[in-house]
Amino acid sequence: KALLEDQSAVDRHDMMYAELLIVGPKADPASIKGMVSAIDAFKAIAASESLFISRGDKSGIYRIERRLWREVKSDPDPARDSWYTRTEADMRTTLGLAAAKSAYTLTDMATWLRFNNQRKLEILVSDDPRLMLRYVLLMPNPKKFPAVDERNAKSLIEYLTSRAIQRQIGAFKIGGSLPFSPHYGLKDN
């Protein structure tokens, strides 16, 4: 949004989205299993000061996590909150630490499906519309960035939003499950 507002980008196209999940230890010390609201789950985690492992990076998952904490009017900080840790690492590393420490974390479906240590963690909260990570394509503004190959950039956007690629996104599976959902309806080809 900021890139469009300052005109660094001139065009936005939704390509696909991934469901995010709140996973945690089977013991579930915050009692969040089966909650339908990610907000209620985050409130329970904060109130019980149950261990939470955060990516703590600039990823979309971390941005969504921060938004959820803001909605519950909490701002956990590892410098003062011993129950909250930031890995500043990728999702696989973050999941591994959550499994090792029997902690909660927010993860994307694709990484969860590839994670080898699921026996220590389980999906506790899902299907909340707040737990959606959108993948978008932005066209850089050629007036601000003259080195941009506008023709090829447009071709790439058209390719990734075409029906054929959208169908492939919708058919992609990891272990029999669909980690991504296409954003249909962008093009008629």
Side-chain angles (χ1 to χ4, degrees), residues 56-68:
D57 59 6
K58 294 183 180 184
S59 68
I61 294 170
Y62 180 64
R63 285 193 303 272
I64 290 171
E65 178 205 320
R66 297 307 305 160
R67 187 186 73 223
L68 293 169

Side-chain angles (χ1 to χ4, degrees), residues 21-24 33-34 109 112 121-126:
L21 313 163
I22 301 173
V23 300
K33 186 174 185 168
M109 178 67 81
W112 174 253
L121 299 174
E122 65 180 289
I123 297 171
L124 299 171
V125 179
S126 61

Side-chain angles (χ1 to χ4, degrees), residues 29-162:
S31 300
I32 67 169
K33 186 174 185 168
M35 286 185 173
V36 294
S37 167
I39 298 301
D40 289 344
F42 269 50
K43 280 181 187 174
I45 291 167
S48 64
E49 296 187 354
S50 297
L51 293 178
F52 189 94
I53 309 296
S54 170
R55 281 184 68 160
D57 59 6
K58 294 183 180 184
S59 68
I61 294 170
Y62 180 64
R63 285 193 303 272
I64 290 171
E65 178 205 320
R66 297 307 305 160
R67 187 186 73 223
L68 293 169
W69 288 124
R70 281 192 304 274
E71 285 191 52
V72 300
K73 297 186 180 12
S74 182
D75 185 22
D77 183 340
R80 84 169 170 262
D81 300 307
S82 60
W83 57 272
Y84 184 83
T85 300
R86 289 187 187 126
T87 64
E88 297 185 13
D90 62 26
M91 196 67 250
R92 188 175 204 61
T93 302
T94 301
L95 272 170
L97 187 58
K101 292 189 172 265
S102 294
Y104 296 97
T105 194
L106 181 66
T107 186
D108 62 290
M109 178 67 81
T111 307
W112 174 253
L113 292 171
R114 291 188 317 259
F115 185 58
N116 294 328
N117 202 3
Q118 290 182 0
R119 70 185 186 287
K120 290 196 172 186
L121 299 174
E122 65 180 289
I123 297 171
L124 299 171
V125 179
S126 61
D127 297 325
D128 181 329
R130 289 179 185 89
L131 297 178
M132 184 183 352
L133 179 60
R134 294 182 186 275
Y135 291 82
V136 300
L137 304 166
L138 294 172
M139 173 70 180
N141 185 343
K143 290 178 183 169
K144 274 189 142 177
F145 306 101
V148 168
D149 183 338
E150 186 176 359
R151 187 176 60 79
N152 281 327
K154 284 181 180 180
S155 292
L156 178 62
I157 289 170
E158 287 175 12
Y159 173 74
L160 292 172
T161 59
S162 70

